[in-house]
Amino acid sequence: MTATTHHRPTPATPLRQTTADPAPPAPEGAEILRATLRRHASGVAVITVPGPAGFTATSFTSVSLRPALVSFCLGLGASSLPAVQSADRFAVHILGSENAELAAQFARSGIDRFAGVPSETQPDGLPLLGGVGAWLTARVTLRQPVGDHLLVVGEVDSGAVTAGDSGLVHHNGAFATPTPLG
């Protein structure tokens, strides 16, 4: 995805018809949400926990500056869920444009996601990946099931920005790099 011009938004097509005309069945809430979120570009991160275990996430976000809190969500059916549920700490690796293969590797199921990935292990077993634009570690302060996901909040305890490359985003089912407008 390369954005080079600014486009005016076009009127949205209604998802539910409000007239008495016969219409096809309206999509369920999950389908509406999925279709809408495909239009929302999200930053891409890899979350790791002791085990080692890790996964690609687009749900990483800041929660608070004081204290410094961040969060992510993980599906309750994810293979990494048991490791995340038992972890006291986690690491967030912010990916840049050169990390698309790393994002794809940590999004795959049924493989050793750490195979061939440069990393170092902290004394508590927390893996930190090399070659990423920025990283942070956090101590878990909250785990809360929310719908079909687990919300995890943590207080930041260390981190570094290692490169100034373009960020990696996920949009419309694909990895992309943003281009500044103007």
Side-chain angles (χ1 to χ4, degrees):
M1 169 180 84
T2 302
T4 56
T5 59
H6 181 71
H7 297 283
R8 285 185 167 188
T10 57
T13 303
L15 294 174
R16 296 182 190 266
Q17 191 169 3
T18 57
T19 65
D21 295 39
E28 294 294 323
E31 292 175 39
I32 294 168
L33 181 60
R34 186 176 293 117
T36 302
L37 290 180
R38 286 181 67 84
R39 303 301 306 152
H40 175 69
S42 302
V44 181
V46 168
I47 311 290
T48 59
V49 296
F55 58 95
T56 299
T58 58
S59 63
F60 171 70
T61 191
S62 63
V63 174
S64 168
L65 289 176
R66 290 185 179 84
L69 299 175
V70 295
S71 71
F72 66 88
C73 292
L74 179 64
L76 294 177
S79 61
S80 300
L81 184 67
V84 169
Q85 287 176 315
S86 65
D88 292 331
R89 292 178 66 226
F90 61 88
V92 178
H93 307 86
I94 304 299
L95 304 187
S97 59
E98 73 285 354
N99 298 125
E101 286 184 30
L102 180 67
Q105 182 165 332
F106 273 82
R108 261 184 229 113
S109 293
I111 66 164
D112 177 359
R113 294 174 176 161
F114 290 87
V117 176
S119 65
E120 75 176 52
T121 303
Q122 301 283 292
D124 64 355
L126 181 64
L128 295 180
L129 306 181
V132 298
W135 60 270
L136 60 81
T137 63
R139 182 182 46 79
V140 174
T141 60
L142 172 75
R143 278 186 201 88
Q144 177 68 47
V146 180
D148 60 0
H149 278 68
L150 178 69
L151 168 67
V152 179
V153 177
E155 185 168 359
V156 175
D157 56 20
S158 68
V161 175
T162 58
D165 197 19
S166 293
L168 186 65
V169 297
H170 192 259
H171 179 261
N172 205 21
F175 296 116
T177 300
T179 300
L181 298 174

